[in-house]
Amino acid sequence: MANLALILIGWMTAASLSMWLLPERFRNDYFAAVSAIFLFYIAPASALWLLLGTLLVYAYMHGPVSHAVGRPLLLVALFALAFLAGREVTSSPDAALFAPWGEERLIALSGIAYYTCRQIHLVLDFWTGRLPPIALRTLLHYQFFGPTLFVGPIHRFQPFAAQLPQRRFDAERLFQGGERVLIGLVFAVVIGGYAFDYRLRALLPESATGFFGLWLVSALDWIILYFRFAGYSSVAIGLAAMAGLRIEENFNLPFLARDLADFWLRWHMTLSQWCRDYVFKPVLALTRRPVPAVLAALIVLGLWHELSLYYFLWGIWQALGIVLSRFASRRLEAWGVILPDNPGAQLLRFACIFSWLTLAQPMIKTIFGGAV
Amino acid sequence: MTPMLRFLHSFFPRGFALILLALLYSALILAILITFESTEDATMLYWNG
């Protein structure tokens, strides 16, 4: 099991290095093909669904021209349902049927959380006229882009496609990418995985179940999540740089945010931007009121993590935090209270944000008990 | 020039910074491999599905 993560990085590094030896016109095809072979090897069911989904998007883009909402809505619903069902399959023992590697059944539909968002982005951007019909080859280059298949970021098509024709060997970028992969692995595996998840978690008392115990677990989870996810995102961004492409950042020092809304614009940025564009803005346009729009966006953000009552309530909690922090800032401004830009004020901001984030789990579990 | 090399080069001459960088890379790779071995960490392949 352990070796597969290293094989992924080794495979992608080898793919990047060998790609530069090929004539320019074959490079994009080669890299997509090598990525697809890896996904077919690791998670065949996931690779087949991604291929089928890409063909469906292609058929939609090149089908009869229509501005009706029916077809895009049907595709979005299909992709979203497949994602939710796929996750259930992935976590059930039957998943072994899809990936015959015993313990490695967890990876049966690996990457579906990320490429589903990319598929929905393609469909909705095409429907709203922000994307022209795309050639199948380019769609495959985008969807079977190895570095971002497993851990995101949810990169957008437009900046990706703009770089494809200008993909050139750049030694500096290659080394910078390699260094980013290394630092990302240290963050994710050594600090987040070993130091916090493996060592520090073992120090927590077994009976950490009361409100304070749940809070401790929640606080540790957020710290681990940051190191792991920011680290894996760095690995993906580094691998993409080695392959000659610049993709979107996923984290921008989130714990230095000014408030909770700012935090969600700095944490898993590609997902929060996706929620902003495809949930928040449409709901805002329909209702003309920001509160339901924030609520809808944060509930979708929560359910993206897991389809459960807990994450539904978690989304409501985060939305409530954003609404309250905006209300508080306005009141403070009205009273002429302005927080200075010094370390003390930053520490206060961090304490407020971190408290709200880490209190979600103990509050929900204490109030709803066994129901979540 | 990578960010780490630039950082080391701001304190040391280029040749010495390169040697330090090679040592640092080796230490980091070793730490990652030992950690992978001891924790059997492969979350990267199924991170959130």
Side-chain angles (χ1 to χ4, degrees), chain A residues 87 110 112 179 228 232 304, chain B residues 2 25 41 43 45 48-49:
Chain A
R87 176 165 285 166
S110 205
I112 195 168
E179 190 174 283
R228 275 212 186 275
Y232 286 144
W304 178 88
Chain B
T2 68
Y25 278 178
D41 191 335
T43 43
L45 288 167
N48 209 38

Side-chain angles (χ1 to χ4, degrees), chain A residues 57-78:
Chain A
V57 171
Y58 174 76
Y60 165 59
M61 286 180 165
H62 293 269
V65 177
S66 164
H67 296 293
V69 73
R71 276 188 298 160
L73 210 60
L74 195 69
L75 272 178
V76 169
L78 176 70

Side-chain angles (χ1 to χ4, degrees), chain A residues 42-333:
Chain A
I42 291 290
S46 194
L48 282 174
W49 173 238
L50 177 56
L51 183 63
L52 185 64
T54 308
L55 292 174
L56 283 172
V57 171
Y58 174 76
Y60 165 59
M61 286 180 165
H62 293 269
V65 177
S66 164
H67 296 293
V69 73
R71 276 188 298 160
L73 210 60
L74 195 69
L75 272 178
V76 169
L78 176 70
F79 290 141
L81 283 173
F83 165 44
L84 298 173
R87 176 165 285 166
E88 290 301 311
V89 171
T90 302
S91 55
S92 84
D94 294 338
L97 295 171
F98 296 92
W101 292 284
E103 279 177 54
E104 285 136 25
R105 65 178 182 271
L106 275 168
I107 56 176
L109 278 163
S110 205
I112 195 168
Y114 304 97
Y115 64 69
T116 298
C117 290
R118 284 185 213 114
Q119 283 164 334
I120 293 174
H121 145 65
L122 287 171
V123 169
L124 293 181
D125 272 20
F126 176 74
W127 179 57
T128 51
R130 276 176 284 184
L131 272 180
I134 303 161
L136 185 59
R137 263 176 86 187
T138 317
L139 273 179
L140 291 170
H141 294 157
Y142 173 65
Q143 289 290 36
F144 285 93
F145 183 61
T148 58
L149 272 176
F150 296 95
V151 287
I154 304 162
H155 62 294
R156 301 292 177 101
F157 178 80
Q158 291 91 333
F160 179 86
Q163 293 177 71
L164 284 179
Q166 290 129 29
R167 211 171 185 175
R168 300 278 184 279
F169 178 76
D170 179 345
E172 190 163 332
R173 186 185 273 192
L174 185 79
F175 283 109
Q176 283 174 352
E179 190 174 283
R180 186 92 195 252
V181 171
L182 194 61
I183 293 170
L185 276 177
V186 171
F187 257 62
V189 179
V190 181
I191 303 175
Y194 184 76
F196 285 104
D197 207 0
Y198 194 68
R199 288 284 175 195
L200 200 61
R201 198 185 283 281
L203 297 178
L204 285 182
E206 292 268 330
S207 55
T209 48
F211 188 87
F212 183 68
L214 283 172
W215 178 80
L216 266 182
V217 171
S218 173
L220 186 60
D221 280 347
W222 272 99
I223 296 168
I224 292 168
L225 195 62
Y226 174 69
F227 281 107
R228 275 212 186 275
F229 202 8
Y232 286 144
S233 296
S234 275
V235 171
I237 292 166
L239 288 172
M242 289 169 81
L245 297 175
R246 193 183 299 275
I247 53 167
E248 292 92 324
E249 289 290 334
N250 228 7
F251 288 83
N252 178 22
L253 303 172
F255 291 115
L256 295 183
R258 299 185 69 81
D259 56 27
L260 204 61
D262 189 29
F263 172 86
W264 282 113
L265 292 173
R266 291 160 168 257
W267 177 282
H268 199 177
M269 290 150 70
T270 54
L271 179 65
S272 44
Q273 284 161 3
W274 186 93
C275 285
R276 181 197 64 197
D277 290 350
Y278 304 116
V279 184
F280 176 82
K281 284 183 181 176
V283 176
L284 185 67
L286 280 173
T287 61
R288 301 274 164 203
R289 295 171 66 181
V291 175
V294 169
L295 192 63
L298 269 296
I299 287 174
V300 169
L301 190 79
L303 296 180
W304 178 88
H305 293 87
E306 186 185 293
L307 183 65
S308 64
L309 178 62
Y310 172 77
Y311 272 105
F312 178 78
L313 296 167
W314 181 92
I316 294 176
W317 175 265
Q318 301 303 339
L320 184 68
I322 290 176
V323 172
L324 284 177
S325 75
R326 280 291 144 109
F327 176 76
S329 327
R330 284 194 188 159
R331 293 311 309 161
L332 287 174
E333 264 176 43

